Amino acid sequence: MYNPQLETFLRVADAGSFNKAAEELFITPPAVIKQITSLESSLDVPLFIRSPRGLKLTEAGKSIYRDAQYIIQYCKDAVVRAKNAAEEGDKVIRIGVSPMTPGQFLLDLWPGIKEYCPDIKFRMVPYENTPENSVEILRNLGQNIDIVAGLFDQKFLEARQCAALELSREPIRCAVSIYHPLAGKELLTAEDLHDENFLLIRRGWNHYLDQMRDELWRDHPQIHIVDFEMFNINVFNQCENSEDILMTIDNWRQVHPLLKIIPVDWNYTIPYGLLHSPRPTPTVKRFLDAVKRVCAS
């Protein structure tokens, strides 16, 4: 589904030499050079600067490198989705899972769901939580993935053309490295965040977080609010590798083992639920109805 020379290109870029890449690929260096030369010829741009000290990506090569990783992963995921579609019947719910969209909710609700929908089966569909993937998946719920658990607000749903069943209003917590001075506390106050970097997703992503941001700026200007673009594993790594404090929820407790999630004595919450197509299939609708009944009871 994609030019296999892209994988060779990525291996050469990571290795920094044709010889090392050839060893890793179990082919000869001339074969690697031939593939790269052919790829450069087909693209009509040089990808590497060759020198006695090794290989260095050109600006075009850097651009192709970023896109090639996404293209290869997307094509592999497409094959998996096609195989899943061929295997599954009309009583299978496909749950999209990633570090930020875990399937833990299913375990919590399973006994009740099984009572109402004993014939429904579930398939976990892993996906990479990139900005491109997340938007595409949510806009096409019902095609390859039926349900994704996550945070939302009304504007978020409208922008991504999906719907949601709210499961809870999750209290907003703080995550810190287990080595952070605040990690010894079991409850934080807003004052504990004074003079600290507080990582908060960019304005416009969620109304509830924007409201919290405005109130913190007004009432606690000593807190240094630092924007980030998207909830993914990278921002959790940033938190763990620094003295920064990260806004989080209890559902993400397992995302990073070296972070401690601590409650804060404020009243900020955010909707958490199951994102689905605005026009769910009868099986998905039956599942959502069962979830509603379980939550109501």
Side-chain angles (χ1 to χ4, degrees):
M1 294 181 67
Y2 59 89
N3 188 338
Q5 293 169 349
L6 287 176
E7 289 189 321
T8 302
F9 163 71
L10 292 177
R11 192 64 64 94
V12 172
D14 291 337
S17 82
F18 293 125
N19 289 337
K20 289 181 181 178
E23 291 177 7
E24 295 175 2
L25 293 168
F26 302 103
I27 58 178
T28 64
V32 172
I33 295 172
K34 183 177 180 180
Q35 288 191 49
I36 297 302
T37 302
S38 175
L39 181 61
E40 289 179 319
S41 177
S42 65
L43 296 175
D44 196 27
V45 291
L47 301 177
F48 292 101
I49 299 172
R50 296 156 171 82
S51 73
R53 285 188 281 181
L55 301 173
K56 183 179 179 182
L57 286 170
T58 63
E59 289 304 312
K62 292 177 183 177
S63 177
I64 293 293
Y65 183 89
R66 291 190 296 268
D67 292 337
Q69 292 177 308
Y70 171 73
I71 291 169
I72 291 172
Q73 187 60 50
Y74 183 83
C75 290
K76 289 179 178 178
D77 290 345
V79 173
V80 171
R81 291 194 293 265
K83 290 180 178 178
N84 290 342
E87 295 172 0
E88 62 198 17
D90 60 356
K91 294 182 180 178
V92 174
I93 303 291
R94 298 160 297 180
I95 310 292
V97 292
S98 75
M100 307 310 305
T101 56
Q104 179 65 34
F105 74 90
L106 189 59
L107 181 62
D108 298 337
L109 298 171
W110 175 246
I113 294 173
K114 191 67 176 175
E115 178 181 351
Y116 295 116
C117 302
D119 58 327
I120 287 181
K121 297 181 180 180
F122 298 91
R123 184 188 301 279
M124 299 295 110
V125 182
Y127 68 92
E128 187 180 1
N129 194 35
T130 64
E132 298 85 359
N133 267 5
S134 62
V135 171
E136 180 181 359
I137 286 169
L138 294 180
R139 285 183 177 173
N140 294 282
L141 285 171
Q143 293 188 17
N144 301 304
I145 292 175
D146 298 309
I147 299 290
V148 174
L151 304 177
F152 65 91
D153 66 1
Q154 190 58 41
K155 185 177 179 181
F156 180 94
L157 299 178
E158 292 171 357
R160 288 155 181 80
Q161 302 169 23
C162 61
L165 170 62
E166 183 174 323
L167 297 180
S168 60
R169 289 294 175 101
E170 288 298 309
I172 295 176
R173 312 293 198 193
C174 286
V176 298
S177 164
I178 59 174
Y179 305 109
H180 194 286
L182 293 177
K185 289 180 171 285
E186 298 304 319
L187 178 68
L188 297 178
T189 65
E191 286 74 17
D192 288 323
L193 276 60
H194 286 185
D195 300 320
E196 301 280 357
N197 287 339
F198 182 49
L199 302 178
L200 189 59
I201 195 166
R202 58 175 176 78
R203 181 180 292 279
W205 189 84
N206 185 282
H207 162 75
Y208 299 88
L209 298 181
D210 288 348
Q211 183 177 7
M212 182 180 77
R213 173 195 296 268
D214 291 339
E215 292 180 4
L216 289 178
W217 269 349
R218 182 192 66 202
D219 301 332
H220 299 276
Q222 303 91 334
I223 298 175
H224 306 150
I225 296 178
V226 179
D227 292 352
F228 63 90
E229 183 64 23
M230 181 181 182
F231 284 110
N232 56 27
I233 193 64
N234 293 333
V235 74
F236 281 76
N237 285 334
Q238 177 183 343
C239 177
E240 194 279 325
N241 292 324
S242 68
E243 293 290 307
D244 297 343
I245 299 172
L246 173 65
M247 169 264 144
T248 188
I249 57 174
D250 286 330
N251 307 67
W252 296 337
R253 191 171 294 276
Q254 305 302 321
V255 171
H256 200 302
L258 297 182
L259 292 181
K260 179 179 180 180
I261 294 181
I262 310 175
V264 189
D265 69 345
W266 54 34
N267 296 318
Y268 297 119
T269 61
I270 188 169
Y272 179 86
L274 305 183
L275 308 179
H276 60 87
S277 168
R279 294 171 294 280
T281 65
T283 299
V284 173
K285 188 175 186 305
R286 203 153 55 89
F287 165 73
L288 294 171
D289 289 341
V291 172
K292 290 179 187 177
R293 296 171 71 177
V294 172
C295 291
S297 61

